[in-house]
Amino acid sequence: MAADTKHRILESTSELFRRHGYAGTGLKQIVAAADAPFGSIYHHFPGGKQQLCEEVILSAGRMYFDLVHAIFAAAPDPVSGTRNAFLGAAAVLEATDYVDACPIETVALEVASSDDLLRRACAEVFEEWIVGAGAIFREAGVPEAEARVLAISLINALEGAFVLARTLRSPEPLEAAAATMTNAVTAALPGA
Amino acid sequence: MAADTKHRILESTSELFRRHGYAGTGLKQIVAAADAPFGSIYHHFPGGKQQLCEEVILSAGRMYFDLVHAIFAAAPDPVSGTRNAFLGAAAVLEATDYVDACPIETVALEVASSDDLLRRACAEVFEEWIVGAGAIFREAGVPEAEARVLAISLINALEGAFVLARTLRSPEPLEAAAATMTNAVTAALPGA
DNA sequence: GTCTATAGAAGGATAGAC
DNA sequence: GTCTATCCTTCTATAGAC
């Protein structure tokens, strides 16, 4: 099944990029992990490693967007949603030996100053997240401009906490982010 | 001058790691940029790329610590210091075409799950920053536990904003972090 | 003791066998 | 059209010339 092979390659690549980054992951490792022949990469991704990476960024970015969106949708209010998002991320990180954090963060930093096509793909993903999170806060009554600042700060805190948590191998940064950001969201809501 | 050559190698490596990361930077690029013969690397760093990277992480980490410490020392109060740190970082980032952000962030993510020696070096640096920032807040009257949470959140925000700012090529994430974190610091100070 | 030349492995990419 | 075998470059690391 060609479509199945392509899917397995995307999955393996996403997984390997999380652990070793873009430059640190070889195409040979990817096909080995996906249990696919080497030629499959260039059959499904004629643009080579760059195209494969672009598709991984966009699909992983959307999956993560849906995940966070579901957490906020399941929560009774944005303050609870914020807390659940950070504490849920802390639990996943601990359970996966500090591997399973943001799927595109390492790649985003690697390509920011060296590959403009991939940088733009990451930018598209982050902008989608900002707009999505901003909409949640706006619907809760936060004014437009403030909602965007809050949304960006939420993602700032999440991405930054991932760097510290993975490096320190501790949930403490995500817990600190949960505390600080629930305060910020609380202060921004109309009732405050 | 052997000592001079070692210094040039450390400088070039730090610069190249910022742009291309650990895996994306070759030792040949490093000696070319440092205008040094290839053998110099293994003369000054018998442990090879890993040892070179470790020294870069520790020295760059301490330089960045001193920089941020100086910004807070020059500010009249921690709230101004927080604002100056984020807006100053935004200015530097714009002036350097979005290259000159945190010197160890990309490497920290690359090695977090693949090289425990280097992960520990990054962890040592981050922990120093947390303790240093915590001391500033504690001296301003914030209780011990809250000061540490605030310090971690400050670094969370800075690191996260660097990821978004470099990817989006915009100072907006650092400006949003400045707004949110000055609020958080203000709320934590005794006068609030 | 400084540096060059090269080894040996792994990288991305491709040509062509089947 | 699927996959294997190979190409050429680049990587880290080392051996040995001077």
Side-chain angles (χ1 to χ4, degrees):
Chain A
M1 311 301 174
D4 200 27
T5 298
K6 179 171 182 175
H7 189 255
R8 281 206 317 282
I9 290 175
L10 285 169
E11 289 286 319
S12 299
T13 305
S14 179
E15 176 73 18
L16 286 165
F17 279 3
R18 258 201 269 264
R19 268 174 225 255
H20 308 291
Y22 179 65
T25 302
L27 295 182
K28 288 174 185 174
Q29 291 174 49
I30 291 171
V31 293
D35 199 25
F38 188 80
S40 294
I41 287 196
Y42 287 89
H43 174 71
H44 293 292
F45 308 95
K49 194 182 190 183
Q50 190 188 40
Q51 184 190 344
L52 170 57
C53 184
E54 185 184 19
E55 295 199 23
V56 166
I57 289 166
L58 295 176
S59 71
R62 265 163 212 146
M63 263 195 279
Y64 211 65
F65 175 90
D66 293 342
L67 176 69
V68 174
H69 194 81
I71 291 173
F72 273 90
D77 57 87
V79 175
S80 307
T82 300
R83 182 169 35 242
N84 293 348
F86 284 104
L87 298 186
V92 170
L93 216 49
E94 282 192 271
T96 59
D97 200 36
Y98 295 94
V99 167
D100 199 352
C102 174
I104 71 163
E105 190 175 17
T106 307
V107 175
L109 282 174
E110 284 184 276
V111 303
S113 302
S114 62
D115 189 317
D116 207 57
L117 179 85
L118 296 179
R119 180 192 67 75
R120 282 171 199 271
C122 292
E124 191 179 318
V125 168
F126 284 142
E127 186 61 36
E128 278 174 11
W129 293 359
I130 292 170
V131 171
I136 290 169
F137 294 131
R138 207 170 43 75
E139 282 160 22
V142 180
E144 179 75 34
E146 200 180 347
R148 183 170 169 92
V149 169
L150 201 59
I152 292 174
S153 291
L154 184 87
I155 300 167
N156 278 347
L158 190 65
E159 297 294 339
F162 278 146
V163 178
L164 266 65
R166 291 189 62 199
T167 300
L168 300 172
R169 294 182 71 84
S170 159
E172 192 185 14
L174 282 156
E175 291 161 2
T180 299
M181 288 311 299
T182 49
N183 284 346
V185 173
T186 302
L189 288 181
Chain B
M1 309 302 175
D4 199 28
T5 298
K6 180 172 181 176
H7 189 254
R8 280 207 315 283
I9 290 175
L10 285 169
E11 289 286 319
S12 299
T13 305
S14 180
E15 175 74 19
L16 286 165
F17 278 3
R18 258 201 269 264
R19 271 175 222 255
H20 309 291
Y22 178 66
T25 301
L27 295 183
K28 289 178 183 174
Q29 291 173 50
I30 290 171
V31 291
D35 199 25
F38 188 79
S40 295
I41 287 196
Y42 286 89
H43 175 71
H44 294 291
F45 309 94
K49 194 181 189 182
Q50 191 189 39
Q51 184 192 343
L52 170 56
C53 185
E54 185 184 20
E55 295 199 22
V56 166
I57 289 166
L58 295 176
S59 70
R62 264 161 212 150
M63 264 196 278
Y64 211 66
F65 175 90
D66 293 341
L67 176 69
V68 174
H69 194 80
I71 290 173
F72 273 89
D77 58 86
V79 176
S80 306
T82 300
R83 183 169 34 240
N84 292 349
F86 284 104
L87 298 187
V92 170
L93 215 49
E94 282 192 271
T96 59
D97 202 34
Y98 294 95
V99 167
D100 199 351
C102 174
I104 71 164
E105 189 174 18
T106 307
V107 175
L109 283 174
E110 284 184 276
V111 304
S113 303
S114 62
D115 189 317
D116 208 56
L117 178 85
L118 296 180
R119 180 193 68 74
R120 282 172 199 272
C122 292
E124 192 179 315
V125 168
F126 285 142
E127 187 62 35
E128 277 175 10
W129 293 359
I130 292 170
V131 171
I136 290 170
F137 294 131
R138 207 170 43 74
E139 283 160 23
V142 180
E144 180 75 35
E146 201 180 347
R148 182 170 169 93
V149 169
L150 201 59
I152 293 174
S153 292
L154 185 87
I155 300 167
N156 278 346
L158 190 65
E159 297 294 339
F162 278 146
V163 178
L164 267 64
R166 291 188 64 199
T167 300
L168 300 173
R169 294 182 72 81
S170 160
E172 193 185 13
L174 282 156
E175 290 161 3
T180 299
M181 288 311 299
T182 49
N183 284 345
V185 173
T186 302
L189 289 180

